[in-house]
Amino acid sequence: MLSPTAANAAQAGSEDAEELPEPLSLRRLRWLVTVLMVVMILAVITVAVTLVIRLSAFGGSHARDLGPVTAAEIALPVGETAMALGRGPGELLVMTRDALGQERLRVFDARSGAALSTTGVVRE
């Protein structure tokens, strides 16, 4: 146990330590950490806002512009196989391949099923 004089001296020493001025390098370090924290918070907010804006485009008005496919059937030429399907506004896109390996992109009307155009696909 400390004597009353030693306890007073220890208490006075701790008060002196609290009253010492902060070193300049420590003050600069504290300022730098604060600035970096603010910059990181702003960066996270920016990334989050960018993601929300970009991802909202997929579920926004673009999906409503397509409309339903109401065609009863789509007729492909004999010997061609559908490899992939896609959608456009009022259109149905079908990638086909025939027995010789020739690929074509066929565009059909989504309402009637009528063929609108055919484009050959060349792989390089």
Side-chain angles (χ1 to χ4, degrees), residues 32-48:
L32 180 65
V33 169
T34 304
V35 168
L36 289 175
M37 180 185 64
V38 170
V39 168
M40 283 182 53
I41 290 171
L42 291 175
V44 168
I45 290 171
T46 303
V47 168

Side-chain angles (χ1 to χ4, degrees), residues 21-74:
E22 191 175 69
L24 182 62
S25 60
L26 185 60
R27 193 176 318 147
R28 286 181 182 163
L29 181 62
R30 184 173 295 159
W31 180 83
L32 180 65
V33 169
T34 304
V35 168
L36 289 175
M37 180 185 64
V38 170
V39 168
M40 283 182 53
I41 290 171
L42 291 175
V44 168
I45 290 171
T46 303
V47 168
V49 167
T50 303
L51 282 173
V52 167
I53 290 171
R54 294 289 183 153
L55 293 177
S56 67
F58 290 115
S61 63
H62 300 293
R64 286 180 256 142
D65 292 343
L66 294 178
V69 176
T70 57
E73 62 182 26
I74 302 293

